[in-house]
Amino acid sequence: MEKQEFFEKYNLSESDLSEADISFEELELIEKDYRKNEQLLRDCVKSFIDEYLYDTEKAGIHSYRYRIKETDHLLEKVVRKRKENHKKFEKLDYTNYHKFMTDLIGVRVFFLYREDWIYFHRYIVSQFENNPELYIKNRLEDFDENPEHYYLAERPRAYKRAGDSKIYDENELEIVSDGIYRSLHYIVKYKGYYIEIQGRTLFEEGWGEIDHDIVYKETEDDEMLKDYSKMLNRLSGLADEMSSYFRRMKQQH
């Protein structure tokens, strides 16, 4: 990507690179290496899907989708992360960025009902080694170079909105209340790469996609759009509550 095009797309400048302490030449090297390895990433996630998620009933989910990170999004995230937490990411370069970025491969799994998270959770922790001693502390030093070692690289986490009904088990998950975001979150080390898995209901996914499309991009500072997005978020949460209530009514009858 051309420098000016990159700057304009993500509202960046030379001063942002300076604050991040990274040159555009280094970003170009990351871009070159990433493009060279894109097919490996695609093969990796397809293999993961075939092995673990293709049978959705066994995995305890309604459906799924997957992607590898777009190149320009990766470069923007490198700049942003180095600005936000330079000490944590200062050693990131074109030879090791895959050790720092845990979302180069992303998988989303979906549930019809919010409380059904437990079925996928039990499934995924039964398929991968879940040893707290393997959880990432230092992203460079803790990276296991053995591509045949599959394991959970972080403690499973649930993000919930303030006011949500209590459905998550604190013994199973780290629970984070961060305002409006709802999702399960897992990082799996698989075939030499990290795979980020998010679990949501279909209603949560609908809100998330609309919020990302309208608010996350160029209009992220528009207060009116953010307020409307929060309203839509509350409606999606209410829809989930109603869906669960309807199912309970059916079971009682």
Side-chain angles (χ1 to χ4, degrees):
M1 178 180 289
E2 294 294 328
K3 180 190 289 190
Q4 195 56 41
E5 179 186 355
F6 177 65
F7 282 172
E8 290 176 0
K9 184 172 184 177
Y10 293 103
N11 194 27
L12 297 172
S13 65
E14 291 287 357
S15 63
D16 292 298
L17 296 189
S18 179
E19 287 182 51
D21 190 25
I22 191 169
S23 68
F24 192 76
E25 289 71 24
E26 185 68 36
L27 293 178
E28 289 180 315
L29 290 174
I30 293 174
E31 177 185 26
K32 181 179 179 181
D33 186 81
Y34 188 65
R35 291 191 185 281
K36 182 179 69 176
N37 289 292
E38 279 182 325
Q39 191 57 51
L40 288 175
L41 292 167
R42 291 192 180 95
D43 291 343
C44 179
V45 68
K46 289 177 181 177
S47 174
F48 180 86
I49 294 296
D50 288 343
E51 189 168 356
Y52 297 103
L53 299 182
Y54 189 77
D55 186 341
T56 56
E57 184 175 355
K58 179 181 177 182
I61 59 178
H62 172 273
S63 51
Y64 60 82
R65 60 187 292 197
Y66 59 91
R67 59 96 182 122
I68 66 169
K69 201 168 193 67
E70 293 181 6
T71 308
D72 54 341
H73 286 172
L74 168 61
L75 303 182
E76 182 272 336
K77 186 171 184 179
V78 168
V79 175
R80 175 162 47 86
K81 288 298 184 181
R82 285 178 64 101
K83 283 181 61 178
E84 293 172 351
N85 193 338
H86 187 265
K87 184 177 180 180
K88 184 176 181 178
F89 292 92
E90 65 178 333
K91 294 183 179 179
L92 183 156
D93 60 30
Y94 78 96
T95 69
N96 60 29
Y97 63 91
H98 64 287
K99 300 179 181 180
F100 286 87
M101 298 298 175
T102 57
D103 64 345
L104 296 182
I105 298 172
V107 175
R108 295 234 183 114
V109 298
F110 306 117
F111 322 114
L112 278 181
Y113 304 97
R114 189 182 297 172
E115 59 269 22
D116 287 350
W117 70 273
I118 189 63
Y119 303 120
F120 175 73
H121 175 78
R122 288 172 177 168
Y123 171 75
I124 207 70
V125 298
S126 73
Q127 299 299 305
F128 295 95
E129 183 180 359
N130 186 19
N131 181 353
E133 293 184 2
L134 297 174
Y135 293 168
I136 305 168
K137 299 179 182 66
N138 182 300
R139 296 200 183 190
L140 195 58
E141 296 177 2
D142 294 343
F143 187 87
D144 189 336
E145 299 287 353
N146 180 5
E148 301 304 317
H149 187 192
Y150 305 163
Y151 60 92
L152 288 170
E154 288 185 357
R155 187 185 181 201
R157 188 178 306 132
Y159 292 91
K160 62 185 287 290
R161 188 173 74 84
D164 282 349
S165 56
K166 184 177 180 181
I167 62 169
Y168 299 117
D169 185 343
E170 295 181 1
N171 295 317
E172 300 278 351
L173 302 158
E174 176 187 351
I175 300 175
V176 181
S177 298
D178 77 334
I180 64 173
Y181 181 68
R182 296 184 182 98
S183 185
L184 293 178
H185 186 272
Y186 304 84
I187 300 295
V188 173
K189 182 72 176 350
Y190 177 75
K191 293 194 173 182
Y193 291 102
Y194 292 121
I195 296 179
E196 179 187 70
I197 306 173
Q198 294 179 340
R200 298 176 175 178
T201 67
L202 293 173
F203 283 116
E204 289 165 348
E205 175 67 1
W207 168 80
E209 286 297 292
I210 292 171
D211 180 74
H212 186 275
D213 184 58
I214 294 178
V215 179
Y216 179 76
K217 297 180 181 178
E218 293 82 357
T219 55
E220 61 183 339
D221 295 325
D222 189 310
E223 291 300 325
M224 184 180 72
L225 286 179
K226 287 196 290 187
D227 286 343
Y228 280 129
S229 179
K230 290 177 183 177
M231 291 172 60
L232 184 61
N233 178 273
R234 291 196 292 270
L235 287 171
S236 70
L238 180 60
D240 274 325
E241 296 281 358
M242 291 177 65
S243 300
S244 296
Y245 179 70
F246 288 154
R247 183 167 69 168
R248 289 197 298 272
M249 288 181 60
K250 179 181 178 181
Q251 290 170 343
Q252 290 173 2
H253 288 80

